[in-house]
mmCIF file with all atom_site columns, all heavy atoms in Angstrom:
data_model
loop_
_atom_site.group_PDB
_atom_site.id
_atom_site.type_symbol
_atom_site.label_atom_id
_atom_site.label_alt_id
_atom_site.label_comp_id
_atom_site.label_asym_id
_atom_site.label_entity_id
_atom_site.label_seq_id
_atom_site.pdbx_PDB_ins_code
_atom_site.Cartn_x
_atom_site.Cartn_y
_atom_site.Cartn_z
_atom_site.occupancy
_atom_site.B_iso_or_equiv
_atom_site.pdbx_formal_charge
_atom_site.auth_seq_id
_atom_site.auth_comp_id
_atom_site.auth_asym_id
_atom_site.auth_atom_id
_atom_site.pdbx_PDB_model_num
ATOM 1  N N   . VAL U 1 72  ? 3.304  10.627 -22.329 1.00 81.00 ? 245 VAL U N   1
ATOM 2  C CA  . VAL U 1 72  ? 2.355  11.737 -22.405 1.00 81.00 ? 245 VAL U CA  1
ATOM 3  C C   . VAL U 1 72  ? 1.120  11.297 -23.203 1.00 81.00 ? 245 VAL U C   1
ATOM 4  O O   . VAL U 1 72  ? -0.110 11.640 -22.666 1.00 81.00 ? 245 VAL U O   1
ATOM 5  C CB  . VAL U 1 72  ? 3.011  12.919 -23.100 1.00 81.00 ? 245 VAL U CB  1
ATOM 6  C CG1 . VAL U 1 72  ? 2.003  14.015 -23.252 1.00 81.00 ? 245 VAL U CG1 1
ATOM 7  C CG2 . VAL U 1 72  ? 4.299  13.392 -22.471 1.00 81.00 ? 245 VAL U CG2 1
ATOM 8  N N   . ARG U 1 98  ? -2.566 6.264  -19.559 1.00 88.00 ? 271 ARG U N   1
ATOM 9  C CA  . ARG U 1 98  ? -1.193 6.263  -19.751 1.00 88.00 ? 271 ARG U CA  1
ATOM 10 C C   . ARG U 1 98  ? -0.481 5.162  -18.928 1.00 88.00 ? 271 ARG U C   1
ATOM 11 O O   . ARG U 1 98  ? -0.951 4.952  -17.820 1.00 88.00 ? 271 ARG U O   1
ATOM 12 C CB  . ARG U 1 98  ? -0.522 7.606  -19.610 1.00 88.00 ? 271 ARG U CB  1
ATOM 13 C CG  . ARG U 1 98  ? -1.092 8.676  -20.575 1.00 88.00 ? 271 ARG U CG  1
ATOM 14 C CD  . ARG U 1 98  ? -0.524 9.953  -20.148 1.00 88.00 ? 271 ARG U CD  1
ATOM 15 N NE  . ARG U 1 98  ? -1.093 10.426 -18.855 1.00 88.00 ? 271 ARG U NE  1
ATOM 16 C CZ  . ARG U 1 98  ? -1.236 11.707 -18.489 1.00 88.00 ? 271 ARG U CZ  1
ATOM 17 N NH1 . ARG U 1 98  ? -0.778 12.634 -19.305 1.00 88.00 ? 271 ARG U NH1 1
ATOM 18 N NH2 . ARG U 1 98  ? -1.676 12.035 -17.324 1.00 88.00 ? 271 ARG U NH2 1
ATOM 19 N N   . ARG U 1 103 ? 5.650  6.442  -17.469 1.00 92.00 ? 276 ARG U N   1
ATOM 20 C CA  . ARG U 1 103 ? 5.710  7.783  -16.926 1.00 92.00 ? 276 ARG U CA  1
ATOM 21 C C   . ARG U 1 103 ? 6.745  7.964  -15.850 1.00 92.00 ? 276 ARG U C   1
ATOM 22 O O   . ARG U 1 103 ? 7.454  8.939  -15.745 1.00 92.00 ? 276 ARG U O   1
ATOM 23 C CB  . ARG U 1 103 ? 4.301  8.178  -16.407 1.00 92.00 ? 276 ARG U CB  1
ATOM 24 C CG  . ARG U 1 103 ? 3.385  8.728  -17.574 1.00 92.00 ? 276 ARG U CG  1
ATOM 25 C CD  . ARG U 1 103 ? 2.027  8.933  -17.028 1.00 92.00 ? 276 ARG U CD  1
ATOM 26 N NE  . ARG U 1 103 ? 1.810  10.156 -16.291 1.00 92.00 ? 276 ARG U NE  1
ATOM 27 C CZ  . ARG U 1 103 ? 1.988  11.364 -16.626 1.00 92.00 ? 276 ARG U CZ  1
ATOM 28 N NH1 . ARG U 1 103 ? 2.078  11.510 -17.996 1.00 92.00 ? 276 ARG U NH1 1
ATOM 29 N NH2 . ARG U 1 103 ? 1.817  12.479 -15.857 1.00 92.00 ? 276 ARG U NH2 1
ATOM 30 N N   . GLY U 1 251 ? 0.690  21.092 -7.170  1.00 87.00 ? 424 GLY U N   1
ATOM 31 C CA  . GLY U 1 251 ? 0.387  21.707 -8.546  1.00 87.00 ? 424 GLY U CA  1
ATOM 32 C C   . GLY U 1 251 ? 1.290  22.788 -8.925  1.00 87.00 ? 424 GLY U C   1
ATOM 33 O O   . GLY U 1 251 ? 0.842  23.583 -9.760  1.00 87.00 ? 424 GLY U O   1
ATOM 34 N N   . GLY U 1 253 ? 4.723  22.614 -9.267  1.00 85.00 ? 426 GLY U N   1
ATOM 35 C CA  . GLY U 1 253 ? 5.972  22.178 -9.934  1.00 85.00 ? 426 GLY U CA  1
ATOM 36 C C   . GLY U 1 253 ? 5.812  22.089 -11.401 1.00 85.00 ? 426 GLY U C   1
ATOM 37 O O   . GLY U 1 253 ? 5.125  22.918 -12.021 1.00 85.00 ? 426 GLY U O   1
ATOM 38 N N   . ALA U 1 254 ? 6.266  20.936 -11.856 1.00 85.00 ? 427 ALA U N   1
ATOM 39 C CA  . ALA U 1 254 ? 5.996  20.662 -13.267 1.00 85.00 ? 427 ALA U CA  1
ATOM 40 C C   . ALA U 1 254 ? 4.627  20.600 -13.617 1.00 85.00 ? 427 ALA U C   1
ATOM 41 O O   . ALA U 1 254 ? 3.742  20.083 -12.882 1.00 85.00 ? 427 ALA U O   1
ATOM 42 C CB  . ALA U 1 254 ? 6.735  19.280 -13.594 1.00 85.00 ? 427 ALA U CB  1
ATOM 43 N N   . GLN U 1 255 ? 4.330  21.189 -14.776 1.00 86.00 ? 428 GLN U N   1
ATOM 44 C CA  . GLN U 1 255 ? 2.878  21.207 -15.153 1.00 86.00 ? 428 GLN U CA  1
ATOM 45 C C   . GLN U 1 255 ? 2.488  19.959 -16.057 1.00 86.00 ? 428 GLN U C   1
ATOM 46 O O   . GLN U 1 255 ? 3.246  19.418 -16.697 1.00 86.00 ? 428 GLN U O   1
ATOM 47 C CB  . GLN U 1 255 ? 2.597  22.546 -15.910 1.00 86.00 ? 428 GLN U CB  1
ATOM 48 C CG  . GLN U 1 255 ? 2.828  23.737 -15.040 1.00 86.00 ? 428 GLN U CG  1
ATOM 49 C CD  . GLN U 1 255 ? 1.897  23.755 -13.881 1.00 86.00 ? 428 GLN U CD  1
ATOM 50 O OE1 . GLN U 1 255 ? 0.695  23.844 -13.940 1.00 86.00 ? 428 GLN U OE1 1
ATOM 51 N NE2 . GLN U 1 255 ? 2.509  23.679 -12.577 1.00 86.00 ? 428 GLN U NE2 1
ATOM 52 N N   . PRO U 1 256 ? 1.217  19.551 -16.054 1.00 83.00 ? 429 PRO U N   1
ATOM 53 C CA  . PRO U 1 256 ? 0.721  18.505 -16.900 1.00 83.00 ? 429 PRO U CA  1
ATOM 54 C C   . PRO U 1 256 ? 0.985  18.932 -18.402 1.00 83.00 ? 429 PRO U C   1
ATOM 55 O O   . PRO U 1 256 ? 0.973  20.117 -18.647 1.00 83.00 ? 429 PRO U O   1
ATOM 56 C CB  . PRO U 1 256 ? -0.793 18.309 -16.530 1.00 83.00 ? 429 PRO U CB  1
ATOM 57 C CG  . PRO U 1 256 ? -1.096 19.490 -15.817 1.00 83.00 ? 429 PRO U CG  1
ATOM 58 C CD  . PRO U 1 256 ? 0.148  20.116 -15.247 1.00 83.00 ? 429 PRO U CD  1
ATOM 59 N N   . PRO U 1 257 ? 1.278  17.969 -19.162 1.00 86.00 ? 430 PRO U N   1
ATOM 60 C CA  . PRO U 1 257 ? 1.288  16.477 -18.963 1.00 86.00 ? 430 PRO U CA  1
ATOM 61 C C   . PRO U 1 257 ? 2.696  15.962 -18.517 1.00 86.00 ? 430 PRO U C   1
ATOM 62 O O   . PRO U 1 257 ? 2.931  14.708 -18.666 1.00 86.00 ? 430 PRO U O   1
ATOM 63 C CB  . PRO U 1 257 ? 0.794  15.970 -20.285 1.00 86.00 ? 430 PRO U CB  1
ATOM 64 C CG  . PRO U 1 257 ? 1.473  16.838 -21.333 1.00 86.00 ? 430 PRO U CG  1
ATOM 65 C CD  . PRO U 1 257 ? 1.485  18.184 -20.584 1.00 86.00 ? 430 PRO U CD  1
ATOM 66 N N   . MET U 1 258 ? 3.530  16.788 -18.025 1.00 89.00 ? 431 MET U N   1
ATOM 67 C CA  . MET U 1 258 ? 4.969  16.260 -17.757 1.00 89.00 ? 431 MET U CA  1
ATOM 68 C C   . MET U 1 258 ? 4.818  15.309 -16.600 1.00 89.00 ? 431 MET U C   1
ATOM 69 O O   . MET U 1 258 ? 3.991  15.374 -15.632 1.00 89.00 ? 431 MET U O   1
ATOM 70 C CB  . MET U 1 258 ? 5.775  17.436 -17.228 1.00 89.00 ? 431 MET U CB  1
ATOM 71 C CG  . MET U 1 258 ? 6.441  18.268 -18.198 1.00 89.00 ? 431 MET U CG  1
ATOM 72 S SD  . MET U 1 258 ? 7.306  19.618 -17.575 1.00 89.00 ? 431 MET U SD  1
ATOM 73 C CE  . MET U 1 258 ? 8.907  19.051 -17.443 1.00 89.00 ? 431 MET U CE  1
ATOM 74 N N   . PRO U 1 259 ? 5.432  14.071 -16.733 1.00 91.00 ? 432 PRO U N   1
ATOM 75 C CA  . PRO U 1 259 ? 5.423  13.061 -15.796 1.00 91.00 ? 432 PRO U CA  1
ATOM 76 C C   . PRO U 1 259 ? 6.137  13.258 -14.524 1.00 91.00 ? 432 PRO U C   1
ATOM 77 O O   . PRO U 1 259 ? 7.132  12.527 -14.218 1.00 91.00 ? 432 PRO U O   1
ATOM 78 C CB  . PRO U 1 259 ? 5.919  11.793 -16.568 1.00 91.00 ? 432 PRO U CB  1
ATOM 79 C CG  . PRO U 1 259 ? 6.875  12.367 -17.545 1.00 91.00 ? 432 PRO U CG  1
ATOM 80 C CD  . PRO U 1 259 ? 6.334  13.782 -17.865 1.00 91.00 ? 432 PRO U CD  1
ATOM 81 N N   . ALA U 1 263 ? 3.399  15.315 -8.948  1.00 91.00 ? 436 ALA U N   1
ATOM 82 C CA  . ALA U 1 263 ? 2.160  15.589 -9.606  1.00 91.00 ? 436 ALA U CA  1
ATOM 83 C C   . ALA U 1 263 ? 1.322  14.314 -9.876  1.00 91.00 ? 436 ALA U C   1
ATOM 84 O O   . ALA U 1 263 ? 0.116  14.316 -9.851  1.00 91.00 ? 436 ALA U O   1
ATOM 85 C CB  . ALA U 1 263 ? 2.426  16.371 -10.885 1.00 91.00 ? 436 ALA U CB  1
ATOM 86 N N   . THR U 1 267 ? -2.507 13.315 -8.915  1.00 89.00 ? 440 THR U N   1
ATOM 87 C CA  . THR U 1 267 ? -3.556 12.723 -9.741  1.00 89.00 ? 440 THR U CA  1
ATOM 88 C C   . THR U 1 267 ? -4.186 11.537 -9.203  1.00 89.00 ? 440 THR U C   1
ATOM 89 O O   . THR U 1 267 ? -5.444 11.376 -9.041  1.00 89.00 ? 440 THR U O   1
ATOM 90 C CB  . THR U 1 267 ? -2.918 12.388 -11.120 1.00 89.00 ? 440 THR U CB  1
ATOM 91 O OG1 . THR U 1 267 ? -2.117 13.296 -11.600 1.00 89.00 ? 440 THR U OG1 1
ATOM 92 C CG2 . THR U 1 267 ? -4.000 12.059 -12.181 1.00 89.00 ? 440 THR U CG2 1
#
Side-chain angles (χ1 to χ4, degrees):
Chain U
V245 179
R271 293 173 298 202
R276 278 176 73 71
Q428 295 301 299
M431 275 173 100
T440 317

